[in-house]
Amino acid sequence: INKFLSGKCTVYKLFGLCMVLLLVSLLWLQLSCSGDMSDRRPPLQQAPPPPPCPPNSQASAVDDPSWGPHKLALIVPFRERFEELLVFVPFMHTFLNKKKIRHKILVINQVDHYRFNRASLINVGQLESGNDTDYLAMHDVDLLPLNEALDYGFPEEGPFHVASPELHPLYHYKTYVGGILLLTKKHYSMCNGMSNRFWGWGREDDEFYRRLRKAELQLFRPSGITTGYKTFLHIHDPAWRKRDQKRVAAQKQEQFKVDPEGGLTNLRYQVESRQELTISGAPCTVINTKLECDQNQTPWCLLG
């Protein structure tokens, strides 16, 4: 029995030695092949450097006096949608430059803890736009004009609804005035701006339509545009950025009422800071804004 066990152990030792020799042979073969491959491999190439930003001369062209006496304040109510802003600012800067529209882009960034208030932010943009502009565009950050025939010029005769129901990719009812609306500052003041009662998404445009009618301002819309619902590119992703459509407490009833007194005259806000930015060569001004809310008047400014 002892001899059998001794022989059995010897067999295991021989098997183990063979396995070690096999592993050493395979390792040597792999190393030699790797060396041959590395000798034949071409040297690594560095990635090309990113393209340089356009020169500052492009930014200065927005205020070329030869383009005319009027200057547009393009007001963008904004909160957190940075991926859309990175597309919007250089696109609109190039679009308006091609049309020789003097302009400056004002991003009114809401930084308080209240619900988003598009109308109040547009009011802030009008008040903070400076004396060097004489008309404004209420412009959604997710709507890009694709047809260069669209008019962004001075709307002397009355408000001009660029994103008309016949052209907007989503909203087609006759009284719609959202998306992109141009007004002179004089006409905007005649309406006392927009109501500050609309916290959350929607309805502020419908109330503003009533203000336009009360001020007896005629609304104009594009004509001769043949691109239909492909006139604009809507870059909002509803799956990624869900809209705040909740209606809290009395907001369900209040959302359909006219606000006869509110607007520019009762707007309360603080400018926390201003930042001059350049995005892909396109200049814009970010106005970080804290809105104030009278919770006795509009308790729905907070979701809680």
Side-chain angles (χ1 to χ4, degrees):
I1 296 174
N2 290 336
K3 289 182 179 180
F4 177 78
L5 290 176
S6 177
K8 188 176 182 180
C9 291
T10 302
V11 170
Y12 281 121
K13 289 179 182 179
L14 289 174
F15 178 77
L17 181 61
C18 291
M19 291 299 296
V20 170
L21 291 174
L22 179 61
L23 290 174
V24 171
S25 301
L26 290 174
L27 180 61
W28 176 83
L29 181 62
Q30 182 177 0
L31 289 176
S32 61
C33 291
S34 299
D36 294 339
M37 291 297 292
S38 62
D39 292 339
R40 291 192 294 267
R41 188 179 301 148
L44 292 176
Q45 296 181 354
Q46 293 184 347
C53 293
N56 290 332
S57 60
Q58 180 183 356
S60 63
V62 299
D63 209 13
D64 188 338
S66 67
W67 289 359
H70 302 293
K71 186 173 180 180
L72 170 67
L74 195 151
I75 298 173
V76 185
F78 180 82
R79 176 183 265 176
E80 295 180 349
R81 292 158 66 171
F82 296 102
E83 67 280 358
E84 295 172 4
L85 189 68
L86 293 176
V87 176
F88 177 87
V89 171
F91 183 96
M92 289 307 304
H93 178 67
T94 302
F95 182 87
L96 294 173
N97 273 358
K98 286 182 179 179
K99 298 180 68 65
K100 296 186 177 181
I101 301 292
R102 297 174 63 197
H103 66 277
K104 63 180 180 182
I105 300 174
L106 302 176
V107 181
I108 316 302
N109 181 31
Q110 185 175 341
V111 296
D112 53 70
H113 61 284
Y114 297 117
R115 299 171 71 189
F116 186 67
N117 191 322
R118 177 178 179 270
S120 290
L121 294 177
I122 293 172
N123 285 340
V124 171
Q126 197 270 353
L127 295 175
E128 297 292 330
S129 59
N131 295 326
D132 59 333
T133 59
D134 54 358
Y135 72 112
L136 55 89
M138 302 154 50
H139 211 301
D140 288 351
V141 72
D142 58 8
L143 198 60
L144 305 179
L146 301 181
N147 191 326
E148 294 185 5
L150 290 168
D151 188 4
Y152 274 74
F154 185 73
E156 185 171 4
E157 297 182 3
F160 186 77
H161 188 208
V162 181
S164 67
E166 298 81 11
L167 304 176
H168 195 284
L170 296 179
Y171 306 114
H172 309 139
Y173 57 95
K174 293 182 179 180
T175 59
Y176 176 68
V177 291
I180 309 167
L181 181 65
L182 307 181
L183 300 93
T184 67
K185 286 188 172 182
K186 178 182 177 181
H187 289 160
Y188 193 76
S189 296
M190 287 173 59
C191 299
N192 192 22
M194 303 185 77
S195 171
N196 301 303
R197 296 178 62 84
F198 291 87
W199 303 88
W201 183 83
R203 299 296 182 189
E204 76 284 343
D205 294 325
D206 298 333
E207 201 273 347
F208 190 67
Y209 175 79
R210 300 180 184 181
R211 291 180 178 232
L212 294 175
R213 296 195 64 181
K214 183 179 179 181
E216 298 182 349
L217 292 172
Q218 183 179 354
L219 181 66
F220 294 88
R221 286 178 165 137
S223 60
I225 303 296
T226 59
T227 44
Y229 297 150
K230 296 182 179 180
T231 303
F232 299 94
L233 177 63
H234 191 242
I235 60 175
H236 178 75
D237 184 355
W240 174 250
R241 295 285 186 188
K242 295 186 181 299
R243 302 190 189 279
D244 176 10
Q245 297 180 331
K246 295 181 180 179
R247 297 293 180 258
V248 181
Q251 188 180 12
K252 293 180 180 179
Q253 293 75 34
E254 293 288 333
Q255 65 180 336
F256 296 107
K257 294 182 180 179
V258 176
D259 181 7
E261 300 178 357
L264 292 172
T265 52
N266 72 341
L267 174 68
R268 297 191 301 171
Y269 72 98
Q270 295 178 358
V271 173
E272 188 174 76
S273 62
R274 300 173 76 103
Q275 296 173 293
E276 303 294 334
L277 300 181
T278 301
I279 303 175
S280 299
C284 68
T285 302
V286 178
I287 303 178
N288 297 311
T289 304
K290 285 187 175 181
L291 300 177
E292 298 179 13
C293 171
D294 183 352
Q295 297 186 42
N296 292 322
Q297 295 293 324
T298 55
W300 51 85
C301 62
L302 290 171
L303 280 176

